[in-house]
């Protein structure tokens, strides 16, 4: 089933507490609890969008508490665009799209640091249009054939 063994990291690059402090800083959240709420909301939403090896590999990069939030979600049958992801989070939390976008940016900035460029590229390749910006990356469009 697996062509190549995946490297197994015994310990993520940061603890959950360190992750929360980093997200708190990135999002300018007033409390650790608000940062934790953002982390859990964004990772749960991302867990509904990712499948396969990318989901497993991302979970291995995250602290255990964050990985459990990600993997506890059943993947959705329909993938959302980046904007759809933000709107879905806003509707699930009862917040605004602006707040959901802010939370997404703060959390995914930290996730980007934990994944590294190769895994991030694989994740973005799996997800529909619009996620690169959420991860703080340039959104490069594929050239469209002339009509």
């Amino acid at each position: 089933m697996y062509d190549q063994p995946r490297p197994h990291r015994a310990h993520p690059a940061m603890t959950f507490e360190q992750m929360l402090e980093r997200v708190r800083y990135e999002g300018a959240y007033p409390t650790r609890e608000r940062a934790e709420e953002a982390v859990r909301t964004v990772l749960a939403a991302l867990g509904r969008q990712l499948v396969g090896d990318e989901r497993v590999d991302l979970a291995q990069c995250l602290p255990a508490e964050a990985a459990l939030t990600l993997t506890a979600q059943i993947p959705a049958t329909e993938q959302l665009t980046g904007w759809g992801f933000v709107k879905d989070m806003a509707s699930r939390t009862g917040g605004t799209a602006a707040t959901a976008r802010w939370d997404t940016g703060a959390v995914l900035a930290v996730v980007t640091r934990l994944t590294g460029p190769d895994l991030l590229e694989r994740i973005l390749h799996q997800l529909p249009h619009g996620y690169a910006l959420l991860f703080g990356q340039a959104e490069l469009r594929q050239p469209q054939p002339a009509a």
Side-chain angles (χ1 to χ4, degrees):
M1 182 164 154
Y2 296 106
D3 301 11
Q4 303 169 353
R6 287 182 292 209
H8 176 68
R9 294 192 333 169
H11 302 287
M14 64 176 66
T15 67
F16 189 60
E17 294 298 320
Q18 291 169 326
M19 182 181 191
L20 293 180
E21 282 306 312
R22 192 70 208 160
V23 169
R24 183 177 177 191
Y25 175 80
E26 290 288 334
Y29 297 117
T31 64
R32 180 190 165 282
E33 291 74 22
R34 179 63 185 94
E36 184 172 354
E37 178 185 329
V39 166
R40 293 191 187 282
T41 300
V42 172
L43 290 180
L46 187 59
R48 289 188 291 275
Q49 298 300 306
L50 283 178
V51 296
D53 290 344
E54 289 73 22
R55 178 182 171 108
V56 172
D57 292 347
L58 175 56
Q60 287 180 341
C61 293
L62 299 173
E65 298 90 335
L68 288 172
T69 300
L70 177 85
T71 58
Q73 304 304 307
I74 297 171
T77 56
E78 178 183 336
Q79 281 194 316
L80 301 171
T81 64
W83 177 237
F85 178 86
V86 170
K87 289 191 314 187
D88 182 62
M89 274 185 39
S91 70
R92 288 175 185 266
T93 61
T96 66
T99 302
R101 174 61 182 95
W102 184 269
D103 291 348
T104 300
V107 173
L108 294 184
V110 176
V111 169
T112 297
R113 288 187 194 101
L114 291 171
T115 62
D118 295 336
L119 177 55
L120 181 59
E121 184 179 328
R122 290 178 27 226
I123 289 169
L124 292 175
H125 184 70
Q126 182 187 118
L127 295 169
H129 175 71
Y131 281 86
L133 292 174
L134 298 178
F135 279 92
Q137 306 296 305
E139 182 80 47
L140 301 176
R141 293 183 174 246
Q142 296 295 324
Q144 299 295 320

